[in-house]
Amino acid sequence: MLLLVVAVVIALPTLDSRVMRQLDPRSVSILNSIAHNIASSADRYPTIPLQVLITPKEAQTKHFYLVRMNGDIISSSKASKAIRRFILQSEESPQPKVKQYKNWLMTGPIPIKLRGEPFQLYAAQQLPAEHNIWLINVLDRPFLLLFITMFVSMPLCASLAWHISKPLQKLQRTAAEITDGNLDAVVPATQRQDEIGELARSLRTMMFSIREHISLQHRLLSDISHELRSPLTRLKMSVALSKRHYGETKEILRIDNESQRLEEMISALLNLSKTQLNATTKESFNLDSLLQPICDDAIFEAEQLDKSFSHQSIPDLNIKGFPALFGSAIENVIRNALRYANQQVNLAISSDTDKITFVITDDGPGVPEDEIEQIFKPFYRVSQARDRESGGAGLGLAITENAIRQHHGKIVASNRETHGLQITITIPIS
């Protein structure tokens, strides 16, 4: 496009007839023929003045000028400033020139000898009013020239933009599908050898690598599940046999408690891995239909613990995501709050045009301020009684944080001003 614009800018002035340039051979031949006729007439009629001999029949639209070596101009009409300027500019030229001034086209000089005296012959011809008027108007108006250049180049720019943007749009749609969890998305094939082609091939290679890693993770998860469950089952059987033979001694009870905790940790680990692996394709789900059974279960569980659970009305919204993963995240936070609350747990829900916010509060002991940002890390257990007394594995909130992150949301923990912990979850609706 740059080369095209430069070529147009260079070429247009050469088309301007107001610029003096060399006369074409055909016009030179015509002028030579006119000069020959004038010389013949001068020889045939030696008494007729030269200004009469060079007056054409179309005197209104054509004029001829004879210029002596001393610069005197002979013509049937007064020479204008334009013709005088043209004569001065072209008199030293070895070849005839041509130039347009307003609506007059001036040509010359043609050497001619009349009655033994050398002259230079010039011609001026009046042009039609519309002759090259559009080109002159364009050249005289830079902004109009710029507009025309942009208008002409627009289709080329559009085709260039389409050539670049179309494959990028395909790659963008594929990337969006991958973001939504569709790892079977087909990366468009391209034979381009530019950066876009390299990007497509890199994206395809990345997809193959991701699928291979996920396949290996599935296999590893299956192996770990089998390898850990088997010795743990044998350990629990051994503890049960020891209880039967030796009774519930302090050591046996300690082994039993630790094996129970180990089983809980393994179950939590497997649950965390499964939620990550199963979240492959997003789907639309109704928030009310998903959360209402969870809230009903929380009310029942709170009653068994002599506590209370309350919640606001759940909005009837459709959200695109992973319903099982999202429900598990909310349920984990509610169960965690019920475990540590003294009496009351509350779920507040608010929504606007682009996001929905869940706030779960309890009236328990809270979390030390210097540890509050660590509670979403796997296996992190708060130094105070909140986790130590419960014997938790420290994976519940890690599972929740992973689920919220996969929904492009945000989860934040903070202590309440009075007492207790507040968990705020923000999920984009779109």
Side-chain angles (χ1 to χ4, degrees):
M1 283 308 305
L2 180 61
L3 291 175
L4 177 63
V5 171
V6 170
V8 170
V9 170
I10 293 175
L12 276 178
T14 64
L15 302 177
D16 189 356
S17 56
R18 297 171 301 177
V19 177
M20 183 179 292
R21 61 183 185 276
Q22 188 170 328
L23 190 61
D24 62 276
R26 181 175 177 275
S27 298
V28 171
S29 177
I30 293 174
L31 275 181
N32 282 326
S33 177
I34 293 173
H36 177 73
N37 293 336
I38 293 176
S40 298
S41 298
D43 293 338
R44 191 179 304 120
Y45 308 105
T47 60
I48 297 178
L50 293 178
Q51 58 265 34
V52 176
L53 290 176
I54 63 174
T55 301
K57 295 179 180 180
E58 310 91 344
Q60 297 297 324
T61 58
K62 291 183 180 179
H63 297 287
F64 293 103
Y65 303 90
L66 292 172
V67 181
R68 287 192 169 95
M69 294 297 102
N70 60 4
D72 291 341
I73 299 175
I74 299 174
S75 176
S76 59
S77 61
K78 183 178 180 180
S80 63
K81 290 183 179 180
I83 190 63
R84 291 177 180 274
R85 189 178 302 114
F86 178 73
I87 292 172
L88 289 174
Q89 293 174 350
S90 62
E91 62 180 352
E92 300 295 334
S93 175
Q95 298 292 332
K97 300 292 184 180
V98 60
K99 181 179 180 181
Q100 182 178 343
Y101 180 78
K102 293 185 179 179
N103 61 333
W104 285 90
L105 188 67
M106 296 167 289
T107 56
I110 295 293
I112 183 175
K113 196 168 187 179
L114 301 176
R115 298 170 183 171
E117 184 180 358
F119 290 89
Q120 297 279 6
L121 176 65
Y122 291 86
Q125 180 180 357
Q126 189 174 18
L127 300 174
E130 67 277 5
H131 180 76
N132 280 351
I133 192 67
W134 64 272
L135 180 59
I136 294 173
N137 287 335
V138 169
L139 295 174
D140 285 345
R141 293 172 174 82
F143 287 105
L144 179 60
L145 177 60
L146 177 63
F147 174 78
I148 293 176
T149 304
M150 293 176 61
F151 181 79
V152 171
S153 63
M154 193 179 301
L156 296 175
C157 289
S159 63
L160 178 63
W162 179 83
H163 179 70
I164 295 175
S165 64
K166 186 178 180 180
L168 288 179
Q169 290 173 355
K170 291 181 179 179
L171 292 176
Q172 189 272 335
R173 287 193 293 267
T174 302
E177 292 182 23
I178 296 173
T179 302
D180 287 340
N182 182 16
L183 297 181
D184 295 325
V186 179
V187 180
T190 178
Q191 301 300 322
R192 298 170 65 121
Q193 300 302 317
D194 56 4
E195 290 81 356
I196 296 177
E198 290 293 331
L199 175 61
R201 287 185 284 274
S202 298
L203 185 60
R204 190 180 300 110
T205 303
M206 183 193 71
M207 281 292 301
F208 291 148
S209 178
I210 290 176
R211 291 169 187 166
E212 184 178 357
H213 284 305
I214 290 179
S215 177
L216 291 174
Q217 190 174 359
H218 274 286
R219 192 179 304 117
L220 179 62
L221 177 62
S222 177
D223 294 343
I224 289 176
S225 176
H226 179 269
E227 294 298 329
L228 291 180
R229 291 286 187 184
S230 297
L232 184 60
T233 302
R234 291 193 293 269
L235 177 62
K236 293 179 68 175
M237 290 176 62
S238 299
V239 171
L241 291 174
S242 298
K243 283 183 180 180
R244 183 179 300 176
H245 286 86
Y246 305 107
E248 293 186 352
T249 64
K250 184 186 301 184
E251 291 79 7
I252 292 177
L253 289 177
R254 178 63 182 270
I255 295 172
D256 190 25
N257 289 336
E258 293 299 330
S259 63
Q260 292 288 348
R261 178 176 296 180
L262 181 60
E263 184 178 20
E264 291 177 3
M265 292 177 64
I266 293 174
S267 298
L269 266 176
L270 295 177
N271 187 29
L272 175 61
S273 299
K274 287 178 180 178
T275 55
Q276 293 176 337
L277 295 175
N278 292 334
T280 56
T281 304
K282 288 184 177 181
E283 57 183 275
S284 181
F285 61 89
N286 184 268
L287 190 64
D288 184 31
S289 300
L290 179 69
L291 294 187
Q292 191 60 55
I294 295 175
C295 291
D296 293 340
D297 292 342
I299 293 173
F300 177 78
E301 185 175 342
E303 291 175 352
Q304 306 306 311
L305 299 172
D306 292 328
K307 300 177 184 179
S308 64
F309 173 77
S310 60
H311 66 89
Q312 295 178 346
S313 61
I314 303 173
D316 187 17
L317 292 174
N318 289 325
I319 298 178
K320 189 175 182 181
F322 311 108
L325 196 60
F326 183 75
S328 175
I330 300 296
E331 186 176 12
N332 278 343
V333 177
I334 293 176
R335 285 179 176 272
N336 194 69
L338 285 172
R339 181 181 301 171
Y340 303 113
N342 292 327
Q343 293 294 329
Q344 178 67 36
V345 175
N346 177 259
L347 169 63
I349 306 174
S350 61
S351 62
D352 53 25
T353 57
D354 59 347
K355 67 179 183 298
I356 183 167
T357 303
F358 305 86
V359 180
I360 299 98
T361 56
D362 65 61
D363 58 354
V367 175
E369 290 294 338
D370 58 342
E371 299 183 46
I372 201 165
E373 294 184 359
Q374 310 295 325
I375 62 175
F376 297 108
K377 294 182 178 180
F379 300 107
Y380 186 84
R381 297 168 66 196
V382 179
S383 57
Q384 288 188 174
R386 186 171 179 99
D387 268 333
R388 290 296 181 188
E389 293 179 359
S390 68
L395 284 170
L397 290 179
I399 294 174
T400 299
E401 193 274 338
N402 173 72
I404 299 304
R405 180 161 33 84
Q406 292 199 43
H407 286 82
H408 308 289
K410 185 179 181 181
I411 182 169
V412 178
S414 60
N415 286 313
R416 302 173 64 188
E417 292 183 0
T418 53
H419 54 85
L421 188 68
Q422 174 176 300
I423 303 291
T424 303
I425 299 173
T426 304
I427 298 291
I429 293 178
S430 59

